[in-house]
Every structure is written in C-alpha cells, then in structure tokens.
Amino acid sequence: MKRVAVLGGGPAGSFAAERLARAGLETILLDEKLAWEKPCGGGITYKAYQQYPFLMHNDTPKKVVTTTSIAAPKAGAVDMPLSQPLLIYSRYDLNRMLLNRAEQAGAKIEKTRVTGVERGGQGWRLHTRNGSLDADFCVVATGARNPLRNVGTEYRAADTMVALGYYVPCERDHIDIQFLPKLEGYIWVFPRCGHLSVGICGKGEPASSLRARLEQYMREKSICFKGAPFYGHVLPSLETPGWKSNRVAGDGWLAVGDAGGLVDPITGEGLYYAMRSGDLASQVVLDEAHSLADKAQLYRSLLERDFAADLAFGATLAKRVFLGRFLFNTVPEQMVRFIRRSPRFSSLMQDLFAGTQPYLGLKSRLWTNLNGTLTETIMNFFLHKLIPGENHV
Ligand SMILES: Cc1cc2nc3c(=O)[nH]c(=O)nc-3n(C[C@H](O)[C@H](O)[C@H](O)COP(=O)(O)OP(=O)(O)OC[C@H]3O[C@@H](n4cnc5c(N)ncnc54)[C@H](O)[C@@H]3O)c2cc1C
C-alpha cells in the first residue's frame, strides 16, 4: 500500500488522515469545503475526550458545561449536574483543529469535490473537480449526504432523522434538553462561545413541522431567532435492519463516521464515533498482517466489538425511549420524574450523558443496585418495560 485517499475532511476523515500520515503512509485528504460550520450541536462527551485527551487540552475555543436541564411536557424540568462536563465546540473551530493536526502529521490536504470513484485492478482512480488521481485504498468520510453511490451506508428514509436549528447570538452556561409530545427526537439548546446552537431532531416528521415546533419552543423561552442563521442537515439514525445490512466496508474501501451510519440512534452523538471509526479504520489500513481482501472483515469486527453492537442495541430501544408509555405517562415524563426522585437514576442518566454507560448493561446495572425504595421498585418495572430483551445479572 503506497497511497491512501481520504474522501472528506470532517472529524472522521481528518482523524483517520492524521493517524495514517503519522504512521508514515502517503495520505491525501480531499474535501470540498475544508473547515466549515457543519450543522451540529458540537457537543463532545467525556467518553470522547477521555479516549482522545487533546480534545480537552488545546487552545481551540470551547465551552465546558457542567449542568443540564431536562424537560418533558407534563413533568416540567429538572436540573441535572453533569458528573463529567460536556465540551461544546463550534464546528468550524473543531474541524479546523482536526485538519491542522492531520496536516502537521504529514497528510496532504486538497480543497476539491470528489465527483466519482472507479475501481481498477487493485487500486482506485478518483475524479475530482481539479482532475483525477490514483490511490491504493480509500477511506470514505463524506458524511451523511455522501454523494458516492457505490461506497458507504445505503440509507433508507427510516435510517435518518431531520435535524435543523438556529445559531443564536447569546451567552449561557447550561444545556437544555426538551422532549415533545409524539416526537421521536428532541430539542437541544447548546451553549457555545458567543452563541447558542438551538436545534431539533426528529424521525418521520417533515422538516417544516419540526421547524414550527422549534420556533414555538424558542418563542416560549424568549430565544429570539429573527435574523439568526438557520441550519439543517441529515442525522444518521439507523434502525435494526439498517445496522444488520450496514455497508460499512468493501473491496479497497472503509467508511468512517456518518458515511458509515456510525451515530448513536438515540442521542444523535456522532463526533466520538466519527473519530473512533477513523482511528479504527487507520489501524486496519496500517495492519500488515491482513491482506487487502481481509481488511473489510477486520474493520467490521473491530467496529462491532468497539461500539457498533452497543449502538445497534440502542436502536432497539429508540422508539420506546421517545414514544413509549408507562403508568399513564410517556417515558420521557417518567425519566424526568425519576431523575428528580432517585439519585441512582440521576447518576445513571449522568453516565449516559458522559457516554460511560453502554446501552447493553443498562438494565442490569440498576437491577443489581436497587435498595428497595418504592421509587426504585417502580423504576425497576419501568426499565423492564423499556428494555425487555436484556437479561438480569
Ligand atoms: C444538527 C445536528 C446536530 C448534531 N449535534 C451533535 C452533537 O452535539 N454531538 C455529536 O457528537 N454529534 C452531533 N451531530 C452528529 C455529527 O455532526 C456528525 O456525526 C459528524 O459531523 C460526523 O462527522 P463526519 O466526519 O463523518 O462527517 P461530516 O462532519 O459531515 O464531514 C463530511 C465532510 O465530507 C465533505 N464532503 C462530502 N462530500 C464530499 C465530496 N464529494 N468531495 C469532497 N468532500 C466531500 C464535506 O465537505 C464534509 O467536510 C449532529 C448532527 C446534526 C445534523
């Protein structure tokens, strides 16, 4: 393997390029925009900066948030401290930092759109707006709107959410999360340096109706959106069949980040999985013990072991989390009440926010930790309804 082409320079592509170039492989990264304000909350969990500490320790502007407020229609709002802070970046700043790191590691960065990829023999011919070039291997990192038909996840409508929102000039220190009636999704207000990212994501509902819900919320909370920049994008949210048939690798290519559907189907967290998959893909490319033909399978099994099995399990819970009912109330309403009443449930939710509590094992953690109060007994039934498939320890 002499030259690897990384198609796309978001977090997934730039991190993969950094790792490949640092190991001494000739790496070329192609992105049509390079650093840009990709529509996003920009939230980075503890799980991400624990694994990649440079995300915390750097000079790039970011907000370190330690409190969140979670609200659901009939349950009101509850403040929850974050045992591990959430970092919030503007995407322009985050992308620029990651691209700079890739370039400093030795990757060649080119601003151009990839218009087509052709497999020829053992290699690739890539067509771009600037001409064409050859590569031995491709890392596909072109995001959720991947225009390259033959590589990466093949999305069905059920495997995506619409996500849209506003950047509002305003200073704030805490996060707001709002659940809404009959919505498989939620509203977020993320404070960044100098502005807020206020957005909504939802599955199976038109963008116009999501926008109306968001604007109503912003009016109620006196968050002015007049003149504020509007954004909209696709958020991968694979359902169970999508995870089973996910086209994440093939002959001479590996897909990373959103191009591989690698996003938490409940929270929409994708930045960690973009970087982690970029990291794993680079390990597979660099692994000399496996032939070119074996690399796709190696990557699939690394992903599965690392986080994909957990996200696929999360997909089985997603509808119940947002739309399920328990004891005459919705699941989000009960969650807000349990956070208020039970320190154990609050601690579990904090770990979910930090990314340190996998979906697999969620139920058994509480089952083994109950101390028998009425709230916790009810909570136990609630979790049994929410996660019927998982065995107790
Ligand atoms: C509204 C919204 C809010 C979100 N909030 C959060 C959050 O708070 N926390 C979190 O963890 N995740 C969040 N996500 C998910 C997160 O944004 C994505 O998971 C993440 O950006 C994936 O990174 P990526 O590198 O795979 O793709 P992207 O960041 O989309 O990067 C893809 C890159 O490929 C380039 N590209 C595409 N096609 C071509 C082409 N043909 N030629 C050249 N270049 C090309 C693009 O210019 C782009 O730079 C959010 C997503 C949305 C939509």
Side-chain angles (χ1 to χ4, degrees):
M1 179 125 29
K2 290 199 187 100
R3 179 196 267 178
V4 178
V6 178
L7 319 180
S14 23
F15 201 52
E18 177 190 334
R19 298 268 151 154
L20 293 167
R22 209 175 283 293
L25 205 59
E26 185 187 342
T27 306
I28 178 155
L29 180 151
L30 310 164
D31 191 294
E32 61 182 330
K33 296 183 191 148
L34 295 180
W36 64 297
E37 192 54 66
K38 192 241 159 187
C40 190
I44 301 242
T45 56
Y46 171 72
K47 171 179 58 189
Y49 62 83
Q50 183 194 38
Q51 179 93 39
Y52 304 116
F54 78 87
L55 288 170
M56 171 66 111
H57 306 292
N58 58 63
D59 296 336
T60 304
K62 64 190 137 327
K63 203 95 176 176
V64 180
V65 183
T66 54
T67 320
T68 184
S69 166
I70 305 180
K74 284 189 273 160
V78 60
D79 283 343
M80 190 177 80
L82 296 175
S83 51
Q84 307 291 352
L86 190 82
L87 307 182
I88 307 186
Y89 282 92
S90 97
R91 281 299 302 272
Y92 176 81
D93 289 337
L94 179 68
N95 284 23
R96 193 190 44 183
M97 173 173 77
L98 295 172
L99 282 163
N100 283 347
R101 286 175 60 95
E103 194 163 31
Q104 278 156 15
K108 188 174 167 226
I109 312 261
E110 190 177 326
K111 185 172 183 182
T112 188
R113 181 174 173 81
V114 180
T115 51
V117 293
E118 256 176 74
R119 188 86 173 128
Q122 286 292 299
W124 291 95
R125 169 138 289 207
L126 310 175
H127 302 284
T128 75
R129 288 243 167 94
N130 295 348
S132 56
L133 67 134
D134 294 330
D136 301 304
F137 202 88
C138 282
V139 175
V140 181
T142 36
R145 287 186 178 145
N146 173 22
L148 307 169
R149 295 271 155 250
N150 302 327
V151 287
T153 296
E154 296 168 288
Y155 285 106
R156 305 166 307 139
D159 290 327
T160 60
M161 281 190 178
V162 173
L164 53 86
Y166 289 95
Y167 298 120
V168 180
C170 182
E171 278 293 344
R172 216 188 243 207
D173 287 324
H174 71 279
I175 291 170
D176 280 297
I177 300 289
Q178 174 75 53
F179 294 99
L180 298 171
K182 299 190 175 134
L183 177 67
E184 191 176 348
Y186 62 93
I187 285 177
W188 69 86
V189 183
F190 274 17
R192 292 174 166 187
C193 298
H195 67 279
L196 309 176
S197 171
V198 185
I200 186 167
C201 59
K203 193 177 263 194
E205 190 166 314
S208 55
S209 146
L210 289 172
R211 187 168 179 172
R213 286 197 199 236
L214 180 66
E215 290 179 356
Q216 156 125 8
Y217 170 85
M218 292 174 80
R219 273 191 289 270
E220 283 167 15
K221 301 288 171 190
S222 305
I223 304 173
C224 180
F225 54 86
K226 201 161 169 247
F230 177 76
Y231 61 79
H233 209 275
V234 176
L235 183 59
S237 175
L238 266 54
E239 300 209 334
T240 302
W243 283 107
K244 284 196 178 130
S245 62
N246 194 9
R247 195 177 61 170
V248 84
D251 181 24
W253 64 271
L254 308 175
V256 293
D258 283 13
L262 303 172
V263 173
D264 185 316
I266 298 178
T267 63
E269 177 183 7
L271 292 169
Y272 168 72
Y273 301 107
M275 293 180 60
R276 186 73 191 139
S277 57
D279 186 355
L280 296 175
S282 68
Q283 290 172 33
V284 170
V285 173
L286 293 166
D287 182 335
E288 288 176 0
H290 287 78
S291 68
L292 205 59
D294 291 339
K295 286 191 186 293
Q297 190 45 43
L298 176 63
Y299 181 57
R300 279 188 211 104
S301 43
L302 279 185
L303 280 181
E304 181 78 4
R305 250 184 289 145
D306 201 281
F307 64 79
D310 195 54
L311 296 189
F313 183 68
T316 67
L317 311 180
K319 286 208 178 355
R320 258 171 280 158
V321 168
F322 292 114
L323 305 173
R325 292 188 69 79
F326 176 66
L327 290 180
F328 312 111
N329 289 290
T330 66
V331 167
E333 284 159 2
Q334 295 292 23
M335 282 196 312
V336 168
R337 293 194 177 103
F338 286 139
I339 294 171
R340 210 175 270 135
R341 287 187 205 149
S342 162
R344 276 169 215 269
F345 193 80
S346 174
S347 149
L348 173 87
M349 289 299 287
Q350 290 175 47
D351 289 350
L352 281 169
F353 260 77
T356 51
Q357 172 61 57
Y359 294 122
L360 288 160
L362 196 61
K363 194 156 102 178
S364 50
R365 168 173 166 185
L366 274 156
W367 192 258
T368 49
N369 278 293
L370 291 176
N371 66 8
T373 65
L374 183 60
T375 301
E376 284 170 338
T377 307
I378 295 170
M379 201 164 74
N380 190 19
F381 282 119
F382 166 73
L383 281 163
H384 190 65
K385 192 172 157 64
L386 191 65
I387 320 170
E390 202 190 346
N391 291 328
H392 303 142
V393 175

